[in-house]
Amino acid sequence: MTNKLRVGVIGCGTIASNHIRGYLDSGRYEIVGLADLEAAAMAEKDAAFSIAPRHYTDAREMLAREQPDVVSVCTWHLGHATWTIAAAAHRPKAILCEKPMADSIGRAEQMMLACKRNGVKLGIAHQRRFLPAYTLARDLIAQGAIGKVQTIQSFGGDGLPNYSSHQTDMYRYLLSDDECDWVMGNIERKTDRYERSTRIEDCAVGVFHFACGAVALLLSDVTPTVYQGALIYGSDGMINMTTNDLQLLNHETGGRWQTHTPDGQFYKVAELGDRFEWQEGGAAQAAELADWIEGRTEHFRGAAINGLKALQMVHAVYESARVHEKVSLPMETRYNPLDLMVDSGHLAPQRPGPYDIRAFLLRGERMASDMEETG
Ligand SMILES: NC(=O)c1ccc[n+]([C@@H]2O[C@H](COP(=O)([O-])OP(=O)(O)OC[C@H]3O[C@@H](n4cnc5c(N)ncnc54)[C@H](O)[C@@H]3O)[C@@H](O)[C@H]2O)c1
């Protein structure tokens, strides 16, 4: 008899490895079921992690037979709401769903509702909240180390929903979950561009204003620069943060950059290099999720409300482009504003012909139909 939390995973591709590794590293979980349309994807997980969960090509069968305590939803974005709502009906203790939370605010709200009605804790996997450099930056800002935050500058790519939902979540995390009160932005979409079957723009610019007065600036697919992290300017100093470290400049550092490379709860930066953010983020996220499930903490940093707010900030850029004004949050438009613009003919692609920048992830027969909804 084990008192570990029993996990079922839906969608066994790239990011599922991060969930599985995180669960195993934390020592608090066992993987009991895997579900994927492709048998090979599940077999790869068994081999990579020396595990022997039962395999299901039908995720609903996995949910019904295994009755997992925790369900990881790791399909493409369009499947997040479908599978979270399906899993919630089986009343697991928690669901950890990948980001972006959903393809529309309306669907994300349905996920929250389904989980609330079934007494299920819902988390969205913005795992960079669990990186020590991010947390140190948040704490330094809260302590006033750079004075009042004025601007946060960041660069994204591959469409706003995928890459930049991490960044909109990061802004709030850096500001101790301050509220974003308005967003203004614009997009260009001349080609019929998709990312994991989700319609995206060719490039975008966003401005995000927070209750504390700070402003975050996002350039996405506009310049060759793309990275997770930020340059944060305050009234009395600056922080230059990446996923692995941060540099602080203020009066106390003598006006010179001072580097901090904090290690994680599970891993050391120097030992893992580029893999640190994935392995530490996954393990620390899993550990705090277990604490939340077991009542050791009331506060899970990845709670769905934060995922919803990160998604709202992304969709508010689209909404601002659609209605040509500053968009106040929370957003009232529940449909995806980019879909509204394109489907209405307002933003018809000038170079027709859909293509998906992540089509290379598809396996088997689905390779022949890269625009098929995955989920
Ligand atoms: N948190 C992060 O930093 C991060 C990083 C990468 C990906 N992601 C997110 O994870 C999600 C998955 O991305 P990925 O790169 O792992 O994709 P992937 O293509 O590698 O994996 C998706 C898997 O889902 C399976 N699948 C599709 N439909 C299914 C269904 N109906 N039932 C069961 N399985 C099904 C596919 O066969 C595939 O194996 C995306 O939403 C992406 O945004 C998050």
Side-chain angles (χ1 to χ4, degrees), residues 10-16 35-38 41 57 59 74-77 80 83 98-100 125-128 162 166 195-196 278 358 361-363 366 374-375:
I10 302 177
C12 297
T14 315
I15 200 62
D36 200 290
L37 303 176
E38 306 286 341
T57 49
C74 297
T75 59
W76 286 6
H77 325 331
H80 292 175
W83 291 115
E98 265 307 327
K99 44 53 60 179
H126 285 122
Q127 77 282 357
R128 293 190 175 90
N162 175 44
H166 276 300
E195 183 274 323
R196 294 186 178 92
W278 298 103
R358 293 292 169 103
L361 289 170
L362 290 167
R363 298 171 184 245
R366 284 178 301 130
T374 303

Side-chain angles (χ1 to χ4, degrees), residues 173-187:
Y173 189 59
L174 289 172
L175 299 172
S176 295
D177 287 330
D178 194 25
E179 298 301 337
C180 177
D181 47 20
W182 61 255
V183 177
M184 191 161 184
N186 206 351
I187 62 161

